[in-house]
Amino acid sequence: MKTPLSRLKLSLILTLAIYPPALWVLALSSSPLLASMGVPRLLLWGLLMSFGTAYAITQFIGALRK
């Protein structure tokens, strides 16, 4: 986890685990958001949010390992 490329790869792998709960939270708990944004934008927003979360987690783990 020393290079940015390896952090990016690990973040992409972790994104797949965070994406379904993010969609569940966005779609089911806030139905007005689904109605106002639409399904494609909500899916993209969930993907962006889960990637950001995954990258932050890998940064945190990388800092702990130092």
Side-chain angles (χ1 to χ4, degrees), residues 9-46:
K9 287 178 185 177
L10 290 172
S11 296
L12 288 174
I13 292 169
L14 189 58
T15 298
L16 296 175
I18 297 174
Y19 189 56
L23 283 182
W24 180 69
V25 167
L26 285 173
L28 295 179
S29 66
S30 57
S31 58
L33 184 64
L34 179 63
S36 67
M37 288 180 68
V39 174
R41 285 184 63 195
L42 190 70
L43 291 173
L44 185 62
W45 181 253

